[in-house]
PDB file of all heavy atoms in Angstrom:
ATOM      1  N   GLU R  46      -0.501  30.204   0.235  1.00  0.00           N
ATOM      2  CA  GLU R  46      -0.877  31.576  -0.106  1.00  0.00           C
ATOM      3  C   GLU R  46      -1.161  32.387   1.153  1.00  0.00           C
ATOM      4  O   GLU R  46      -0.701  33.514   1.302  1.00  0.00           O
ATOM      5  CB  GLU R  46      -2.106  31.551  -1.015  1.00  0.00           C
ATOM      6  CG  GLU R  46      -2.506  32.914  -1.539  1.00  0.00           C
ATOM      7  CD  GLU R  46      -3.700  32.816  -2.466  1.00  0.00           C
ATOM      8  OE1 GLU R  46      -3.815  31.812  -3.193  1.00  0.00           O
ATOM      9  OE2 GLU R  46      -4.523  33.756  -2.458  1.00  0.00           O
ATOM     10  N   ARG R  47      -1.892  31.801   2.077  1.00  0.00           N
ATOM     11  CA  ARG R  47      -2.230  32.469   3.331  1.00  0.00           C
ATOM     12  C   ARG R  47      -0.962  32.716   4.163  1.00  0.00           C
ATOM     13  O   ARG R  47      -0.790  33.778   4.745  1.00  0.00           O
ATOM     14  CB  ARG R  47      -3.235  31.614   4.107  1.00  0.00           C
ATOM     15  CG  ARG R  47      -3.903  32.309   5.247  1.00  0.00           C
ATOM     16  CD  ARG R  47      -5.087  31.521   5.811  1.00  0.00           C
ATOM     17  NE  ARG R  47      -4.746  30.140   6.124  1.00  0.00           N
ATOM     18  CZ  ARG R  47      -5.318  29.071   5.565  1.00  0.00           C
ATOM     19  NH1 ARG R  47      -6.265  29.217   4.674  1.00  0.00           N
ATOM     20  NH2 ARG R  47      -4.959  27.857   5.899  1.00  0.00           N
ATOM     21  N   ASN R  48      -0.077  31.758   4.177  1.00  0.00           N
ATOM     22  CA  ASN R  48       1.161  31.877   4.950  1.00  0.00           C
ATOM     23  C   ASN R  48       2.055  32.966   4.356  1.00  0.00           C
ATOM     24  O   ASN R  48       2.663  33.750   5.088  1.00  0.00           O
ATOM     25  CB  ASN R  48       1.882  30.539   4.972  1.00  0.00           C
ATOM     26  CG  ASN R  48       2.609  30.272   6.257  1.00  0.00           C
ATOM     27  OD1 ASN R  48       2.285  30.882   7.273  1.00  0.00           O
ATOM     28  ND2 ASN R  48       3.568  29.412   6.211  1.00  0.00           N
ATOM     29  N   ASN R  49       2.143  33.014   3.035  1.00  0.00           N
ATOM     30  CA  ASN R  49       2.955  34.045   2.382  1.00  0.00           C
ATOM     31  C   ASN R  49       2.369  35.438   2.617  1.00  0.00           C
ATOM     32  O   ASN R  49       3.110  36.406   2.766  1.00  0.00           O
ATOM     33  CB  ASN R  49       3.088  33.770   0.892  1.00  0.00           C
ATOM     34  CG  ASN R  49       3.999  32.589   0.607  1.00  0.00           C
ATOM     35  OD1 ASN R  49       4.790  32.200   1.450  1.00  0.00           O
ATOM     36  ND2 ASN R  49       3.886  32.029  -0.577  1.00  0.00           N
ATOM     37  N   ALA R  50       1.044  35.530   2.667  1.00  0.00           N
ATOM     38  CA  ALA R  50       0.411  36.823   2.915  1.00  0.00           C
ATOM     39  C   ALA R  50       0.738  37.307   4.332  1.00  0.00           C
ATOM     40  O   ALA R  50       0.976  38.500   4.542  1.00  0.00           O
ATOM     41  CB  ALA R  50      -1.103  36.712   2.732  1.00  0.00           C
ATOM     42  N   ARG R  51       0.797  36.403   5.280  1.00  0.00           N
ATOM     43  CA  ARG R  51       1.146  36.785   6.657  1.00  0.00           C
ATOM     44  C   ARG R  51       2.575  37.309   6.726  1.00  0.00           C
ATOM     45  O   ARG R  51       2.858  38.281   7.420  1.00  0.00           O
ATOM     46  CB  ARG R  51       1.005  35.595   7.604  1.00  0.00           C
ATOM     47  CG  ARG R  51      -0.407  35.232   7.924  1.00  0.00           C
ATOM     48  CD  ARG R  51      -0.451  34.107   8.914  1.00  0.00           C
ATOM     49  NE  ARG R  51      -1.795  33.557   9.028  1.00  0.00           N
ATOM     50  CZ  ARG R  51      -2.073  32.358   9.471  1.00  0.00           C
ATOM     51  NH1 ARG R  51      -1.106  31.559   9.863  1.00  0.00           N
ATOM     52  NH2 ARG R  51      -3.311  31.960   9.530  1.00  0.00           N
ATOM     53  N   GLU R  52       3.484  36.653   6.030  1.00  0.00           N
ATOM     54  CA  GLU R  52       4.875  37.068   6.038  1.00  0.00           C
ATOM     55  C   GLU R  52       5.024  38.464   5.412  1.00  0.00           C
ATOM     56  O   GLU R  52       5.786  39.285   5.887  1.00  0.00           O
ATOM     57  CB  GLU R  52       5.751  36.054   5.307  1.00  0.00           C
ATOM     58  CG  GLU R  52       5.910  34.739   6.047  1.00  0.00           C
ATOM     59  CD  GLU R  52       6.677  33.715   5.259  1.00  0.00           C
ATOM     60  OE1 GLU R  52       7.154  34.048   4.159  1.00  0.00           O
ATOM     61  OE2 GLU R  52       6.812  32.577   5.744  1.00  0.00           O
ATOM     62  N   THR R  53       4.276  38.707   4.356  1.00  0.00           N
ATOM     63  CA  THR R  53       4.328  40.017   3.684  1.00  0.00           C
ATOM     64  C   THR R  53       3.786  41.093   4.612  1.00  0.00           C
ATOM     65  O   THR R  53       4.363  42.176   4.735  1.00  0.00           O
ATOM     66  CB  THR R  53       3.509  39.975   2.375  1.00  0.00           C
ATOM     67  OG1 THR R  53       3.979  38.903   1.571  1.00  0.00           O
ATOM     68  CG2 THR R  53       3.630  41.275   1.622  1.00  0.00           C
ATOM     69  N   ASP R  54       2.664  40.794   5.304  1.00  0.00           N
ATOM     70  CA  ASP R  54       2.079  41.762   6.228  1.00  0.00           C
ATOM     71  C   ASP R  54       3.007  42.026   7.408  1.00  0.00           C
ATOM     72  O   ASP R  54       3.129  43.136   7.879  1.00  0.00           O
ATOM     73  CB  ASP R  54       0.729  41.271   6.745  1.00  0.00           C
ATOM     74  CG  ASP R  54      -0.327  41.245   5.652  1.00  0.00           C
ATOM     75  OD1 ASP R  54      -0.109  41.897   4.616  1.00  0.00           O
ATOM     76  OD2 ASP R  54      -1.357  40.574   5.826  1.00  0.00           O
ATOM     77  N   ALA R  55       3.664  41.001   7.901  1.00  0.00           N
ATOM     78  CA  ALA R  55       4.545  41.145   9.062  1.00  0.00           C
ATOM     79  C   ALA R  55       5.796  41.929   8.689  1.00  0.00           C
ATOM     80  O   ALA R  55       6.335  42.657   9.516  1.00  0.00           O
ATOM     81  CB  ALA R  55       4.932  39.765   9.592  1.00  0.00           C
ATOM     82  N   GLY R  56       6.253  41.823   7.451  1.00  0.00           N
ATOM     83  CA  GLY R  56       7.470  42.521   7.029  1.00  0.00           C
ATOM     84  C   GLY R  56       7.231  43.978   6.671  1.00  0.00           C
ATOM     85  O   GLY R  56       8.146  44.766   6.603  1.00  0.00           O
TER      86      GLY R  56
END
Side-chain angles (χ1 to χ4, degrees):
E46 186 178 326
R47 193 168 51 241
N48 214 21
N49 288 341
R51 286 183 192 158
E52 290 175 4
T53 305
D54 292 343

